[in-house]
Each structure stands twice: as structure tokens, then as C-alpha cells.
Amino acid sequence: MSSFPLRVFSGIKPSGDLHLGNYLGAIKRFVPLQKTHACIYCVVDLHAITVWQDPADLKRATYEVAAAYLAAGVDPKSHIIFNQSQVIEHSELAWIFNCVARMGWMQRMTQFKDKAGKNSQNVSLGLFAYPSLMAADILLYKSTHVPVGEDQKQHLELTRDIAQKFNNDFATSIKDNAYDADFFPLSEPVITGPATKVLSLRDGTKKMSKSEASSMATIYMLDDADAIAKKIKKAKSDPEPLPSETDGLKDRPEAANLVGIYASLADMSQQQVLDQFGGKGFGTFKPALAELAVESLSPIASEMRRYLAEPDIIEEILKDGANRAGDIAKNTMREVRNIVGFVG
Ligand code: AQP
């Protein structure tokens, strides 16, 4: 593990409007990692089509995810921003991983079960195979660290299982080709901070999600100040005042969610938020949260709009990023083909 240079990979699906969960669970955390790691941030359009996407919407959402990375402060010159479908090696390695991963592993994936629901015979094969494409995304770049939200933890564990099995299955060939025995790293999930699972504002049992039908449950990154304030005001809470200690949030998912959002936006711990608001009711806390959310999100939204008005610039950035990502990917695939025994 230590022999691998520090490299971050993460991605977001262009499958709808970006929301506060995507921002706090992923995008906001992408930015500081640029100081310590070489970072690759991908718009994972191949993942998006595991459920039907209208082609025009897919394009619009691809620009939106790229604009969000840029607006949040990802530097596309020192690091890499690109869309997955421009680097065909993702699909190639995913196929090889489909042949490494076991059916039983995939059947245990809770995200597939949640998304397929009772309809599992009628969803795409791609939705089932999604985690092996995700493993390919990460391992194509021999990435050591993967910042994601809590919901992706199981997929990251599967990525490690695939890397380990590939290294074991092909140990002899890896040695014969004089590559390091740990050919693929066991990538570390980076699931940190107070908002690794932002919940729906209307239902404390569900995560905030692009595919949520009620727009009142979700704060979108492009919401204006009025919409943000209104959604926070109407967010489900409870009649109790906020506790003074985090223990007091244990059986109060909606309260814990709002405190977590505040903490993450303000770069504070949940305890620091409770030091300030413990004993106060939601009548005091919600307006303070709304003000903070507007203050934090509005500048990013206007920067996103500025990029979205210039799609040519986004396209150039994605193309340049895809060229640079493609160089790394081609190199890995040349090695993988040798290891697997493909001729040519
Ligand atoms: N609610 C959330 N809280 C914290 N992090 C979240 N993420 C998503 N929702 C939350 C993180 O955002 C990154 C990108 O996720 P994705 O777009 O690739 O897929 P997803 O996790 O399936 O997101 P959605 O919004 O729920 O999309 P749909 O509805 O289209 O499936 C990941 O790091 C994820 O953890």
C-alpha cells in the first residue's frame, strides 16, 4: 500500500440536479485534498445510464457536475476533471472486473437492493454490475484514497475485495511480468466530517437524493436564497430544544441532520454547534442555519451559473482532463492486458 503514490479518485453521477448531500458528502471535501494528493474528479456518466437518462438531460447534468467541481474550487490544471465516457478504459477494466467479482458479492450490495426494490428482474444489468465499474474507476488510476459519502462505503469494500482477488488470482502472472505483487492498491475510503449522510428534509429515515420526488425534501446546489430558506424553515424537526451534548441527538435523526448540516457548512464539529445552540429551539436554530446555508451556497451557485453559461470552456476542461486521465489509464490497461494474458 505504502508503495503507491497518494492519489485521490472520486466521481458523481450526472443523473439529476446536484444537492446538498452531494456537496457536503463529496464535493466540498474534494477541495482540501488537492493540497496533499494528486486528485482525479470524474463525472461518472457511464454510471448515470444504469437507469434511463434522457440524452439531453444527461448532457445538461454532465455540465452541471463539472461546473460544481470548478465552482467549489477544484483546480482542473493542477488536478484532473473529466467525464468517464471519454476514457474508454473504464469500460474495459470493468469487464475484466465483472469476471473477477463473484455473483454473491454483488447480490449483497444494499444500494442495488434499494434501487431495484421489488422490480429486480426488470432493472438494467448495468445497475447490478455498477460496483465493478466503480472499482474499475478507482483502480484504473491505482487510487489510494476515495472521498465519498457514507452510502458508498459498501461499494468501496467491494473495490478492495476485487483488488485483492485480482492480485491473488493473477499473482504468478504479475510476478512473471515483473510487476509489484500488490498490483492494485487496497484503496481507502475517506468518509469524514459531520455530514457524511445528509438526510431528506422531510423524512429522517431517508438520505437526501437526486431521485427524490419532493423538491421540498432536497436543497439543490442551484436553489436561490428564497428556496433554501423556505426548505429549511419547513424541514421536519421535533418540539424539543437542541441538546447541549451530541449524545442527546441519538434518537433525533431530523435534529441530528440539521446540526450536521450546520457543522459541515461552518467547518465546525457537531459539539461546537451544540455549544452555541444547546437549549435553543428550532425557531432560533433554523433561521441561523438558513442564513449560513445561503451565505455558503449562493456564491458557489453563481459561479456554477457563470460556468454553465460557457459550455465550450467546460468541454475544453473535460477534454483536457480526459487526455491526461487517459494517459494513466492506458498505461494501467497495458499492464492489465499483459497480466491477464491477452495477446497484442
Ligand atoms: N445524502 C447524501 N449525503 C452525503 N453524501 C451523499 N452523496 C450522495 N448523496 C449523499 C455522495 O455524493 C457522491 C456522488 O453520489 P452519486 O451522484 O454518484 O450517487 P448517489 O450516492 O446514488 O447519489 P444520489 O443523489 O442519491 O443519486 P441518485 O438519486 O441518482 O442515485 C457520493 O460520494 C455519495 O456518497
Side-chain angles (χ1 to χ4, degrees):
M1 181 69 208
S2 54
S3 62
F4 291 94
L6 293 180
R7 182 175 283 151
V8 160
F9 180 96
S10 197
I12 295 192
K13 282 184 299 185
S15 54
D17 297 329
L18 290 173
H19 54 76
L20 188 64
N22 298 132
Y23 177 60
L24 298 180
I27 301 171
K28 184 173 194 271
R29 295 168 47 239
F30 292 175
V31 179
L33 286 164
Q34 296 177 106
K35 289 201 193 110
T36 45
H37 295 64
C39 298
I40 303 180
Y41 296 126
C42 188
V43 185
V44 285
D45 46 11
L46 298 174
H47 284 282
I49 63 162
T50 53
V51 296
W52 167 252
Q53 302 295 323
D54 178 87
D57 290 343
L58 178 63
K59 279 197 181 143
R60 186 199 52 74
T62 300
Y63 291 120
E64 186 181 316
V65 176
Y69 291 166
L70 294 163
V74 176
D75 175 354
K77 290 217 170 351
S78 311
H79 300 272
I80 293 178
I81 295 178
F82 76 108
N83 59 314
Q84 191 185 20
S85 60
Q86 290 205 67
V87 177
I88 54 171
E89 286 78 8
H90 286 255
S91 305
E92 189 181 0
L93 186 57
W95 177 256
I96 292 170
F97 286 169
N98 279 343
C99 302
V100 172
R102 305 291 90 184
M103 286 293 286
W105 299 0
M106 308 303 255
Q107 276 159 347
R108 281 198 289 277
M109 295 297 110
T110 52
Q111 195 178 80
F112 175 76
K113 289 187 211 163
D114 291 346
K115 292 205 166 184
K118 293 196 178 78
N119 202 21
S120 67
Q121 294 305 303
N122 210 19
V123 295
S124 74
L125 180 56
L127 190 68
F128 184 68
Y130 182 118
S132 73
L133 176 59
M134 180 164 159
D137 301 336
I138 295 164
L139 295 173
L140 199 48
Y141 305 100
K142 302 191 180 170
S143 311
T144 54
H145 293 86
V146 187
V148 281
E150 177 81 39
D151 60 320
Q152 294 298 331
K153 190 165 180 243
Q154 198 186 27
H155 290 163
L156 256 300
E157 282 158 11
L158 187 94
T159 297
R160 292 163 65 93
D161 289 342
I162 290 177
Q164 182 91 66
K165 188 165 189 303
F166 183 96
N167 291 348
N168 289 344
D169 287 356
F170 293 102
T172 307
S173 182
I174 289 170
K175 191 161 174 243
D176 291 349
N177 280 287
Y179 299 131
D180 286 344
D182 293 330
F183 179 76
F184 282 124
L186 302 187
S187 317
E188 300 273 350
V190 184
I191 303 175
T192 51
T196 54
K197 185 174 181 184
V198 177
L199 303 178
S200 154
L201 297 182
R202 308 299 278 180
D203 179 351
T205 64
K206 277 167 52 184
K207 74 161 193 157
M208 193 176 280
S209 165
K210 297 193 210 85
S211 40
E212 162 68 50
S214 155
S215 65
M216 286 305 284
T218 313
I219 293 176
Y220 297 105
M221 286 186 74
L222 286 172
D223 273 347
D224 62 23
D226 286 350
I228 295 174
K230 189 168 154 205
K231 289 176 187 184
I232 291 177
K233 189 169 163 218
K234 297 225 174 253
K236 191 170 171 205
S237 54
D238 58 42
E240 301 296 315
L242 285 172
S244 309
E245 305 293 328
T246 49
D247 266 4
L249 290 171
K250 266 193 186 126
D251 297 317
R252 299 175 63 187
E254 290 88 5
N257 189 39
L258 296 178
V259 169
I261 292 173
Y262 192 105
S264 181
L265 287 170
D267 292 319
M268 290 162 84
S269 67
Q270 289 193 329
Q271 186 55 55
Q272 285 170 320
V273 177
L274 295 181
D275 291 345
Q276 203 175 322
F277 290 99
K280 302 212 165 89
F282 285 96
T284 305
F285 182 63
K286 280 183 175 177
L289 176 58
E291 194 182 329
L292 174 65
V294 169
E295 212 173 81
S296 316
L297 297 175
S298 293
I300 298 173
S302 38
E303 194 63 1
M304 281 174 74
R305 284 192 202 96
R306 199 175 65 75
Y307 278 110
L308 290 170
E310 297 191 279
D312 298 1
I313 294 184
I314 295 183
E315 280 166 26
E316 258 172 53
I317 289 171
L318 294 176
K319 177 55 100 198
D320 172 63
N323 286 337
R324 288 185 291 132
D327 289 343
I328 307 170
K330 281 186 187 66
N331 195 39
T332 304
M333 281 315 300
R334 193 176 34 75
E335 296 173 340
V336 168
R337 284 191 213 105
N338 283 338
I339 291 169
V340 172
F342 291 150
V343 173

